[in-house]
Amino acid sequence: MKIATFNVNSLRKRLPVILRWLERHQPDVLCLQETKVQDEDFPLLDLASSGYQVTFRGMKAYNGVAVLSRAAPEAVSYGFDDGGELDDARLLRVVIKGIPIVNTYVPQGFKIDSSKYAYKLKWFQRLRAYFDKHLAPSKPAIWCGDVNVAPEPLDVHSPEKHLTHVCFHEDVRRAYKETVSWGFVDVFRKLYPDRLQYTFWDYRQPSSVKANKGWRIDHILATKPLADKCKSVEVDMRPRRAATASDHTVLWAEFAI
Amino acid sequence: MKIATFNVNSLRKRLPVILRWLERHQPDVLCLQETKVQDEDFPLLDLASSGYQVTFRGMKAYNGVAVLSRAAPEAVSYGFDDGGELDDARLLRVVIKGIPIVNTYVPQGFKIDSSKYAYKLKWFQRLRAYFDKHLAPSKPAIWCGDVNVAPEPLDVHSPEKHLTHVCFHEDVRRAYKETVSWGFVDVFRKLYPDRLQYTFWDYRQPSSVKANKGWRIDHILATKPLADKCKSVEVDMRPRRAATASDHTVLWAEFAI
DNA sequence: GCCTCGCCCG
DNA sequence: CGGGCGAGGC
């Protein structure tokens, strides 16, 4: 099973890139974030040609998640179910061929001293509780998406400059790890313990791609039984180099199931 | 000499269409309107490959005129010189191979009861005075551009519905004809007295192109000595059918000089 | 509908 | 820088 994740920064703007990538890579599942389209405007027709099943939840202007899958999902669930903020444009769970897949667009957090950052930290706690409720560490499951955390210094260019950045501050890294420790394994880092590899390059940072000044903030994580079956994980730079590119690129992993 | 006119509705958006048209048609002169680009942002580099000389005057967001010519203009003049509103983003005169060419983007006029409409009517009067000052009916000269007038009922779909439209109202048609009568001949209508042929199809009117619900408001006019040498005039629908089309298309005329 | 713009956002 | 939005123009 081949599964991929891609923060598209507008699904409508990225349709050609997405369709091209599906054609070339034929994944079983492609999880998308920042679709930035409300459900009534979702471009189902443009995706129909791909032959993929489409599951989505969006809102106007911000956020939005979707799952494209070869097989139809056996179950679909939108947002948190803990009585708090639903945040269904950031959290989408599907079950595909028996494997639960949680696709997240974790809040970015704005600034360390903002309420948005507090919300982000809380979000990781809620996500752990969500895993507790719906998954089991001993059973196959996947968590992927734009997690907005670079877990280690290796995962961001010039880490010493980003100690107070909402995607690298010690508190957010701790919050992320606390959620991971529920029972997930970062399959990229598992296969490549020392590899410097980013998935996001800021549009604003001049020549960030050429100079490779990026962040590894998009992740695919699997529970142990599934992580053990992970055969390969790669970042495909091509979508980031496309004429009309997202600021993120595609991360994919293949599992022997 | 082959001369063409095209309201591009943003030069920058229409660059591929323009370059393609130049390649295919190799006109001596292409007059453009609604370039919507201020001079400091004019995309000279993108046009350099065409090999055409570029003369332009624009402003931010609205209006803007340009002339692309195989030969460099022997003279260039921007706007009115009667002490009133300059309107140099609507009026550009060049002399090419000895022929004065007046490229205009005549004000649209908004609504019949608006001051913009009064300004439009006045604009035609000023233009006649401008011809008087700079041209002679007995000598070759060309006036072309988006004139924003359908001269006759044949020149607009459902004319009975547009009697109070600022591009078909009796006052504007009279004002236009008063300016034409200075000494210009509409070469399209001269060659094809009865042909129904539009040059503009509103984006808003659903399926206006397919249903051919348009307007003939872009014109090429020549003084009598030149009009007598007009060999052919055509409207090229291709640019209007392009993937990213202006709401106008190209009108061109060939003169035996 | 398809352009422009200024503004918000990451 | 490159998405989104809403307003203004035609």
Side-chain angles (χ1 to χ4, degrees):
Chain A
M1 180 178 234
K2 184 171 175 176
I3 179 163
T5 181
F6 185 20
N7 176 320
V8 291
N9 188 20
S10 170
L11 174 63
R12 284 172 292 191
K13 284 275 173 186
R14 225 61 64 204
L15 274 169
V17 171
I18 294 166
L19 290 170
R20 194 76 206 281
W21 200 89
L22 288 173
E23 249 179 72
R24 281 177 180 269
H25 284 264
Q26 310 265 326
D28 296 283
V29 181
L30 173 57
C31 294
L32 305 174
Q33 306 87 37
E34 280 206 88
T35 56
K36 292 186 175 178
V37 59
Q38 50 193 340
D39 293 350
E40 51 269 47
D41 299 333
F42 195 95
L44 272 174
L45 257 55
D46 299 278
L47 285 165
S49 62
S50 72
Y52 278 79
Q53 305 287 327
V54 190
T55 311
F56 55 94
R57 179 58 53 93
M59 58 186 286
K60 193 190 276 209
Y62 302 109
N63 312 324
V65 281
V67 174
L68 311 186
S69 56
R70 218 160 250 304
E74 295 125 39
V76 179
S77 176
Y78 305 94
F80 285 114
D81 52 0
D82 57 7
E85 189 99 33
L86 194 59
D87 243 358
D88 52 340
R90 293 186 179 273
L91 175 61
L92 176 57
R93 176 168 46 103
V94 295
V95 178
I96 290 168
K97 304 235 174 191
I99 315 276
I101 299 170
V102 178
N103 177 20
T104 62
Y105 175 49
V106 176
Q108 192 262 0
F110 187 45
K111 287 185 171 176
I112 289 292
D113 56 2
S114 71
S115 62
K116 289 179 181 178
Y117 185 62
Y119 183 72
K120 180 181 188 175
L121 298 182
K122 188 89 182 132
W123 215 91
F124 280 115
Q125 291 189 335
R126 295 174 72 197
L127 189 59
R128 184 180 167 129
Y130 181 91
F131 293 155
D132 251 336
K133 187 166 178 178
H134 298 288
L135 313 174
S138 59
K139 292 189 184 162
I142 285 171
W143 165 30
C144 71
D146 178 352
V147 176
N148 268 317
V149 175
E152 300 296 334
L154 176 60
D155 297 319
V156 57
H157 76 96
S158 319
E160 69 286 358
K161 287 185 186 168
H162 297 114
L163 296 172
T164 58
H165 191 289
V166 290
C167 297
F168 190 62
H169 187 270
E170 57 176 336
D171 289 343
V172 83
R173 291 165 58 202
R174 193 182 306 114
Y176 164 73
K177 285 172 189 172
E178 180 61 24
T179 301
V180 172
S181 74
W182 169 85
F184 274 114
V185 177
D186 170 349
V187 295
F188 177 86
R189 196 47 82 211
K190 176 175 196 275
L191 263 66
Y192 303 111
D194 307 311
R195 185 184 287 184
L196 186 148
Q197 174 64 66
Y198 305 133
T199 61
F200 162 81
W201 299 260
D202 201 318
Y203 288 130
R204 287 165 293 182
Q205 176 104 18
S207 65
S208 65
V209 176
K210 216 165 66 176
N212 198 26
K213 293 186 176 178
W215 297 69
R216 193 173 73 91
I217 57 179
D218 302 275
H219 305 297
I220 298 174
L221 302 101
T223 51
K224 179 130 202 317
L226 198 51
D228 288 344
K229 294 183 180 160
C230 183
K231 294 189 300 180
S232 55
V233 195
E234 297 298 335
V235 170
D236 182 4
M237 282 302 296
R238 190 186 287 260
R240 185 62 181 87
R241 294 190 179 118
T244 175
S246 169
D247 43 0
H248 295 247
T249 198
V250 180
L251 166 69
W252 62 268
E254 185 140 28
F255 297 90
I257 52 164
Chain B
M1 180 180 232
K2 183 170 175 177
I3 181 165
T5 180
F6 184 22
N7 176 319
V8 291
N9 187 18
S10 169
L11 175 63
R12 284 172 290 190
K13 283 276 173 187
R14 226 60 65 202
L15 274 169
V17 171
I18 294 166
L19 290 170
R20 193 74 206 281
W21 199 88
L22 288 173
E23 249 180 74
R24 282 177 180 269
H25 284 265
Q26 310 264 327
D28 296 286
V29 182
L30 173 58
C31 293
L32 305 175
Q33 305 87 37
E34 280 204 88
T35 56
K36 293 187 178 177
V37 60
Q38 51 193 340
D39 293 351
E40 52 269 47
D41 298 335
F42 196 95
L44 272 173
L45 258 56
D46 299 279
L47 286 166
S49 63
S50 73
Y52 278 80
Q53 305 286 327
V54 190
T55 312
F56 55 94
R57 180 57 54 92
M59 58 185 289
K60 194 189 274 211
Y62 304 109
N63 312 324
V65 281
V67 174
L68 312 186
S69 56
R70 217 160 250 304
E74 295 125 38
V76 179
S77 176
Y78 305 94
F80 285 114
D81 51 0
D82 57 7
E85 189 99 34
L86 194 61
D87 243 0
D88 53 339
R90 292 186 180 273
L91 176 60
L92 176 56
R93 176 167 47 102
V94 294
V95 178
I96 289 170
K97 305 234 174 193
I99 315 277
I101 299 170
V102 179
N103 177 21
T104 62
Y105 174 51
V106 177
Q108 192 261 1
F110 187 45
K111 286 185 173 176
I112 288 291
D113 56 2
S114 71
S115 62
K116 289 180 181 178
Y117 186 60
Y119 183 73
K120 180 181 188 175
L121 298 183
K122 188 87 183 132
W123 215 90
F124 279 115
Q125 291 188 335
R126 296 174 72 196
L127 189 59
R128 186 181 165 126
Y130 181 88
F131 293 154
D132 251 338
K133 186 166 180 179
H134 297 290
L135 313 175
S138 59
K139 292 187 183 164
I142 285 171
W143 166 29
C144 71
D146 178 353
V147 177
N148 267 319
V149 175
E152 301 295 335
L154 176 60
D155 297 320
V156 57
H157 76 97
S158 319
E160 70 286 357
K161 287 184 186 167
H162 296 113
L163 298 172
T164 59
H165 191 288
V166 288
C167 297
F168 190 63
H169 187 269
E170 56 176 338
D171 289 343
V172 82
R173 290 165 59 200
R174 192 183 305 116
Y176 165 73
K177 284 172 189 173
E178 180 61 24
T179 300
V180 172
S181 72
W182 168 85
F184 273 114
V185 177
D186 171 349
V187 296
F188 178 86
R189 195 47 82 213
K190 177 177 195 272
L191 264 66
Y192 303 111
D194 308 312
R195 186 184 285 184
L196 186 148
Q197 175 64 65
Y198 305 134
T199 63
F200 162 81
W201 297 261
D202 200 317
Y203 287 132
R204 288 166 291 184
Q205 177 104 16
S207 65
S208 64
V209 176
K210 217 165 66 177
N212 197 27
K213 293 187 174 176
W215 297 68
R216 192 173 72 92
I217 56 178
D218 302 274
H219 305 298
I220 298 174
L221 302 101
T223 51
K224 180 132 198 317
L226 198 51
D228 287 344
K229 293 181 180 162
C230 184
K231 294 189 300 183
S232 54
V233 195
E234 296 299 335
V235 171
D236 182 5
M237 283 303 295
R238 191 186 287 260
R240 186 61 181 89
R241 292 189 181 119
T244 173
S246 168
D247 41 2
H248 295 248
T249 198
V250 180
L251 167 69
W252 62 268
E254 186 140 27
F255 297 90
I257 51 163

